[in-house]
Amino acid sequence: MGRKSLYLLMLGIFVAYYIYIPLPDNFEEPWRMMFTNAYLNTIKYSVYFVELLGLCNSMDSMQIFTSFLDAPPTSDENVTVTDTTFNNIPVRVFMPKRKSEALRRGLFYIHGGGWCLGSAASQNYDLLSRWTADRLDAVVVSTNYRLAPKYRFPTQFEDVYNALRWFLRPKVLAQYGVNPERIAVSGDSAGGNLAAAVTQQLLDDPDVKIKLKIQSLIYPALQPLDVDSPSYRENSEFPFLSRSLMIRFWSEYLTADPASLEKAMLSNQHVPAESHHLLKFVNWSSLLPERYIKGNVYKDPTYGSSELAMKYPGLLDVRVAPLLADDKKLHRLPLTYIITCQYDVLRDDGLMYVTRLRNAGVPVTHNHIENGFHGIFSFLEFKISDKIINNYISWLHENL
Ligand SMILES: *[C@@H]1O[C@H](CO)[C@@H](O)[C@H](O)[C@H]1NC(C)=O
Ligand SMILES: *[C@@H]1O[C@H](CO)[C@@H](O)[C@H](O)[C@H]1NC(C)=O
């Protein structure tokens, strides 16, 4: 064998090794997943490398990468798209063009991206809102919020909450022709976290008279207290959201100096002993249906230092961890739609919320996607995305 063909062979083996990942049997389009994952890993390794050299925080570099995918506000034949601000928060509004005699439904959408990435202008979120506005004949407000690492909790929460409060004023609803009795809040991933949090916050806001009809949570993150649930264990290396990346996102959201929290979370030793009473709200051993626990054994956690929790009070704040709300509060929440995916570290957060909401008497439609993965609302080239997004819009059509 010549030297050239030897090099080619080695290159071939390396490429195959780099791209190949074992996937479950029921997984649709495994090759699409492997190539997309290899592409994203290349970006991830590059930005981690740049971070290692001390040049730029990896989340900042990733923001620059993802912003290349932003779409300008472009109207099409069915939907008028405009960028504006609600209470100084930039939002993108999607208005159906066809005439309507009656007031329209309103959907307030919160994008995902680990509180660090993404925007209402990201191509996938722009498309999702466009489809929702058109097919539901609804006014869709897709909000932005300031991102970590530059900003952290409570900025993201407050930006979203302020934009939502602005939207829910009778004058603004009238201006957009929205029916105040048919309004939903929806979000995916970190946006699902913010959607659950602002929906809870509205319950006790004396200034807002309008009640939400629906909250819709798409594979939401709902608690950073226990990052060792069965779904965190089983999917710790699954594309597109590994356990370590999720922990990095939590740390970036909660602190300006993420390294110490990240380290404690990786070993699941970050909840101080004096907060042990909160663990019952996120106890997967009692809140998950048996078939998701399978062989996993629950261990009472090893407690972390009190200083850590004092330094990062957000960690145990209900606005960060909507699962920490008590049943009396949950009981007052509106009709809820929750999507969980089998191959997702955040699966059990969603499943535990389903159990807790139902125990508190809230009507819940739970759509568990057996062969779904984290990101199906963002990676629109997968066939399964189309199907799940269609289900979601049809459900809203019937219930909103
Ligand atoms: C606009 O709506 C029509 C009719 O529903 C549809 O066929 C068309 O594809 C839509 N256009 C866009 C850009 O979505
Ligand atoms: C979690 O639930 C299990 C089983 O219901 C129980 O044995 C355990 O003590 C609980 N742990 C905490 C910290 O609530």
Side-chain angles (χ1 to χ4, degrees):
M1 207 183 328
R3 187 169 284 187
K4 234 184 193 162
S5 28
L6 184 68
Y7 286 153
L8 270 176
L9 181 70
M10 280 166 58
L11 183 70
I13 292 174
F14 175 76
V15 168
Y17 179 77
Y18 188 73
I19 291 176
Y20 181 78
I21 39 169
L23 288 169
D25 289 342
N26 67 347
F27 206 84
E28 284 175 25
E29 300 186 280
W31 287 104
R32 191 185 290 285
M33 174 56 104
M34 287 186 218
F35 280 105
T36 313
N37 184 52
Y39 166 74
L40 291 176
N41 276 345
T42 308
I43 297 176
K44 195 166 84 181
Y45 298 144
S46 318
V47 301
Y48 282 171
F49 182 68
V50 171
E51 181 171 77
L52 214 63
L53 295 178
L55 296 177
C56 185
N57 179 302
S58 57
M59 294 299 151
D60 281 329
S61 320
M62 231 163 335
Q63 261 174 37
I64 297 168
F65 264 111
T66 50
S67 64
F68 289 138
L69 298 175
D70 286 357
T74 313
S75 303
D76 63 34
E77 53 184 311
N78 303 325
V79 182
T80 305
V81 181
T82 32
D83 281 351
T84 178
T85 58
F86 279 11
N87 214 357
N88 295 322
I89 314 297
V91 299
R92 183 166 285 193
V93 182
F94 302 78
M95 289 275 288
K97 276 188 178 165
R98 72 183 85 111
K99 291 262 171 295
S100 172
E101 295 302 316
L103 291 172
R104 288 197 159 93
R105 298 181 262 211
L107 181 87
F108 185 87
Y109 195 84
I110 310 162
H111 72 79
W115 308 278
C116 293
L117 306 169
S119 127
S122 306
Q123 224 163 41
N124 59 305
Y125 290 120
D126 181 84
L127 276 172
L128 177 67
S129 297
R130 216 172 266 275
W131 294 336
T132 318
D134 185 32
R135 292 195 30 210
L136 271 185
D137 192 23
V139 175
V140 176
V141 172
S142 181
T143 193
N144 285 297
Y145 47 90
R146 284 170 289 173
L147 300 171
K150 192 157 176 212
Y151 300 96
R152 57 188 179 278
F153 177 76
T155 302
Q156 285 82 339
F157 171 85
E158 282 175 354
D159 281 0
V160 170
Y161 195 57
N162 286 333
L164 176 60
R165 278 167 50 106
W166 183 269
F167 181 51
L168 293 181
R169 295 189 317 167
K171 209 177 96 193
V172 176
L173 295 176
Q175 182 192 334
Y176 286 99
V178 172
N179 183 340
E181 288 172 1
R182 300 178 79 182
I183 299 175
V185 165
S186 179
D188 65 291
S189 195
N193 168 271
L194 293 164
V198 295
T199 303
Q200 288 187 3
Q201 187 83 1
L202 274 180
L203 297 174
D204 297 312
D205 191 328
D207 298 333
V208 184
K209 300 284 178 277
I210 285 160
K211 297 261 176 281
L212 295 176
K213 184 162 183 195
I214 284 171
Q215 66 169 336
S216 144
L217 313 175
I218 300 154
Y219 40 76
L222 296 168
Q223 57 87 24
L225 281 77
D226 188 349
V227 287
D228 190 37
S229 68
S231 63
Y232 268 106
R233 291 179 193 176
E234 289 162 14
N235 302 297
S236 69
E237 295 302 327
F238 205 88
F240 300 110
L241 182 64
S242 63
R243 176 173 187 264
S244 55
L245 182 59
M246 189 59 223
I247 288 176
R248 173 76 189 256
F249 282 149
W250 278 123
S251 313
E252 294 284 357
Y253 184 32
L254 295 173
T255 120
D257 158 37
S260 57
L261 181 60
E262 196 178 356
K263 187 156 162 271
M265 284 184 85
L266 281 169
S267 55
N268 209 40
Q269 297 182 9
H270 53 292
V271 174
E274 59 270 26
S275 305
H276 72 275
H277 61 285
L278 296 175
L279 289 169
K280 65 174 181 293
F281 294 130
V282 298
N283 185 342
W284 55 263
S285 165
S286 54
L287 294 171
L288 282 191
E290 185 54 40
R291 73 186 177 100
Y292 298 102
I293 297 181
K294 281 191 286 183
N296 290 289
V297 177
Y298 184 84
K299 290 196 300 274
D300 273 338
T302 311
Y303 295 108
S305 75
S306 313
E307 291 106 79
L308 201 69
M310 258 149 63
K311 237 161 103 189
Y312 316 125
L315 187 62
L316 305 170
D317 192 306
V318 71
R319 293 169 297 168
V320 164
L323 263 166
L324 296 183
D326 61 23
D327 289 0
K328 251 170 60 196
K329 185 166 188 181
L330 296 185
H331 175 70
R332 294 182 288 141
L333 287 170
L335 172 61
T336 301
Y337 180 79
I338 297 190
I339 289 183
T340 53
C341 292
Q342 182 65 13
Y343 306 118
D344 180 1
V345 289
L346 298 179
R347 180 196 72 189
D348 296 345
D349 282 18
L351 291 172
M352 290 193 281
Y353 210 40
V354 170
T355 305
R356 292 219 41 225
L357 291 177
R358 284 185 175 151
N359 289 348
V362 178
V364 179
T365 300
H366 176 207
N367 187 4
H368 179 69
I369 322 290
E370 241 359 291
N371 55 354
F373 54 90
H374 195 87
I376 38 180
F377 272 61
S378 294
F379 297 92
L380 304 175
E381 61 273 28
F382 286 85
K383 286 197 196 105
I384 192 172
S385 303
D386 226 32
K387 201 171 85 189
I388 306 309
I389 290 172
N390 278 335
N391 289 348
Y392 155 81
I393 296 179
S394 306
W395 187 87
L396 287 173
H397 201 67
E398 280 164 32
N399 293 280
L400 181 56

